Amino acid sequence: MSGGLLVAGTTSDAGKSVVTAGICRWLVRQGVKVAPFKAQNMSLNSFVTREGAEIGRAQAMQAQACRVEPTALMNPVLLKPGGERSSQVVLLGKPVGELSARGYHGGRQQKLLGTVLDCLAELRGTYDAVICEGAGSPAEINLRRTDIVNMGIARNARLPVLVVGDIDRGGVFASFFGTVALLSPEDQELVAGFLVNKFRGDVSLLEPGLDMLHGLTGRRTYGVLPFRHGLGIDEEDGMAVSLRGTVRESNVAPPVGQDVLRVAVCAIPLMSNFTDVDALAAEPGVVVRFVDRPEELADADLVVVPGTRGTVRALQWLRERGLADALVRRAADGRPVLGVCGGFQILGEHIEDDVESRAGQVDGLGILPVRVRFAREKTLTRPVGEALGEHVEGYEIHHGVADVTGGETFLDGCRVGAVWGTHWHGSLESDGFRRAFLREVAAAAGRRFVPAPGTSFAALREEQLDRLGDLIEEHADTDALWRLIESGAPQGLPFISPGAPA
C-alpha cells in the first residue's frame, strides 16, 4: 500500500490540523505506518527537528500522532511572517530569504512545486500512507495558478481530497457546495466528499441536510465529529493555550498548595512559539492569560515575554503601551519575569540588528546583563542541559546572538534576582525543571503554591492525540475512509457548475 489523502478545509481554522492528526493516530493504532505532510505552512509557531531543520509545530505534533520522528520532508516550505506583506521563506528546514507576498505568489511558489512533490514522493515510498494537510481553502481562485499546497499538490500526486467544514461557525452546507463549485472539472474529480467538524446536538437533525448535500454534489459525508472542548494540537497561529481546556475539564485535583499561580503572557507583535506556556497551563493551579495592558501585570505572579519574529518591533510596542516601564518596575521590585528567545533579547541592555528589522543599534529594557547582535545565520539546535538541579531539553530558533556579561547562569542565558532569560523554547515541557521553576516563582511571588508532583506534559499530549484518534474512530466512517486512502477518489464524481473561472 502507498496510500494518501489530502485534508482540505472550507476556511482557515476549519479543523484541518486536528483532523489530520486524528486520522494519523487512528491509522497508526491499526498498525499502518503513516506520516503527515504539509507542502507549505505559514506560521510563527515552529519546531526544530533532530537534524536541525525548522518546520511547523503542527506537523511536529502530527508526527507524534504517527509515532514517528518529525523531519523536514513533512513540511518542506515554511513561511514565517515578518510583517503584513513579507515572510521569511524556510525551505527544507533552512531559511533562504525574505519575500513579499506578491513576489512569492508571483513566481517563486510555483518553482517550489518540484521540491514539494519530491518530498511527498519520498515519504510515500517510505510509509504505507501519507496524510496531507492543505492550507486555507482549496477554492481560493486568485491563488490557484500557483498553488502547491491544496489542489496543486492533489492534482500532481493524484490524491483524493476530503473537505472539512466547521459547522460551529454556521453556513457549512453553503461552504461545502461553494468550495466544490469553484473548482475546475479536473480538480473536482479528486474531491471525494466532506467531513463535518464541531457539531453540537442531535446528529439525526443534520442528516437530511447531508442527504441533500449528497444529492446536490454527488459526494458523501465521511463523518460528523462532535464538538469537544480542549481538543487541538499546537496551533499554527493565534493565542490559544492548547492544553488548557484539557486540564480544566479532566479530573485533575485542585491546586496542591493553598494558592493559585497567575501567569500573564505579553501578547507582543509577531509572537512566536507561544506554545511554550502550554506546559504552565497544564499544571493544576496555574492560570495563564495573554495581556496587552500594563495594569494587567499588577496581579500576575509571573510575567512571560515570549518569542517574536520581530524583536525590535515588539520592544517598541511594549514601550508604546507602557508595558516596558511596568516590566522594569516589576524587575526592580523583585517580582518574577521570564523572557524566552525574543523576549530574552528584549530584556537585555542592547540590541544590534542589521538583519531582522535593520534598525541598527537599539537599547533594550536593561533588566538583564545581555548584549544581542543579530547574525544572518539562524541558530537551529536541540540543546540538552541542566538548570535548577533538573534535566532540561529544548530547541532554539533565533538570529540573535547573546553576549551574557553577568548574573547567574540559566540554560544558555542568565538570571538576575527573579528575572530569568533564555533562548530555549520548550524547556518548560521538562517536568522536573518546570516544577522547580514554579517553586522559585512561587517563593519570589510570596504565593503558597505547590506544583502537583505527578503532572506529565508528555502524557497529557499523548492523551490528547488519543482523544483525536478516538474522535475519528467513533464518528467517521473509517471503512470508507480507509478505501479512500487506499484507492483514491471514487470514479464518476459529477461536475458542479459553474466551476473555476477562466
Side-chain angles (χ1 to χ4, degrees), residues 52 106 128 151 153-154 162 171 188 193 226 296 314 316 369 393 419 443:
D128 299 330
M151 300 314 299
I153 193 79
L162 183 69
Q188 287 192 25
E296 294 179 293
Q316 181 182 0
E393 297 183 18
V419 180

Side-chain angles (χ1 to χ4, degrees), residues 296-443:
E296 294 179 293
L297 305 188
D299 67 343
D301 301 306
L302 169 67
V303 174
V304 178
V305 187
T308 173
R309 171 84 165 85
T311 300
V312 171
R313 178 177 167 183
L315 177 58
Q316 181 182 0
W317 180 88
L318 289 167
R319 286 184 166 131
E320 289 171 350
R321 288 185 167 257
L323 283 158
D325 289 340
L327 286 167
V328 171
R329 289 194 300 270
R330 184 180 181 89
D333 292 341
R335 303 182 66 197
V337 177
L338 171 65
V340 180
C341 200
F344 168 42
Q345 297 165 8
I346 285 168
L347 298 180
E349 299 169 343
H350 186 79
I351 298 169
E352 182 182 340
D353 181 11
D354 295 317
V355 175
E356 190 175 77
S357 68
R358 296 180 175 85
Q361 312 280 341
V362 178
D363 288 333
L365 297 187
I367 297 173
L368 290 176
V370 177
R371 301 176 73 83
V372 176
R373 176 184 56 81
F374 274 66
R376 298 201 175 276
E377 192 73 21
K378 183 184 278 191
T379 298
L380 296 168
T381 63
R382 290 274 293 271
V384 176
E386 185 176 300
L388 305 180
E390 299 286 347
H391 176 78
V392 192
E393 297 183 18
Y395 57 99
E396 296 185 53
I397 307 170
H398 55 91
H399 284 279
V401 179
D403 178 20
V404 179
T405 60
E408 302 174 42
T409 299
F410 178 71
L411 302 175
D412 70 322
C414 65
R415 170 187 182 176
V416 174
V419 180
W420 298 263
T422 177
H423 275 129
W424 289 25
H425 294 290
S427 63
L428 294 168
E429 295 179 19
S430 299
D431 296 327
F433 167 72
R434 181 180 66 255
R435 287 191 278 269
F437 176 72
L438 289 175
R439 283 192 289 269
E440 295 264 345
V441 168

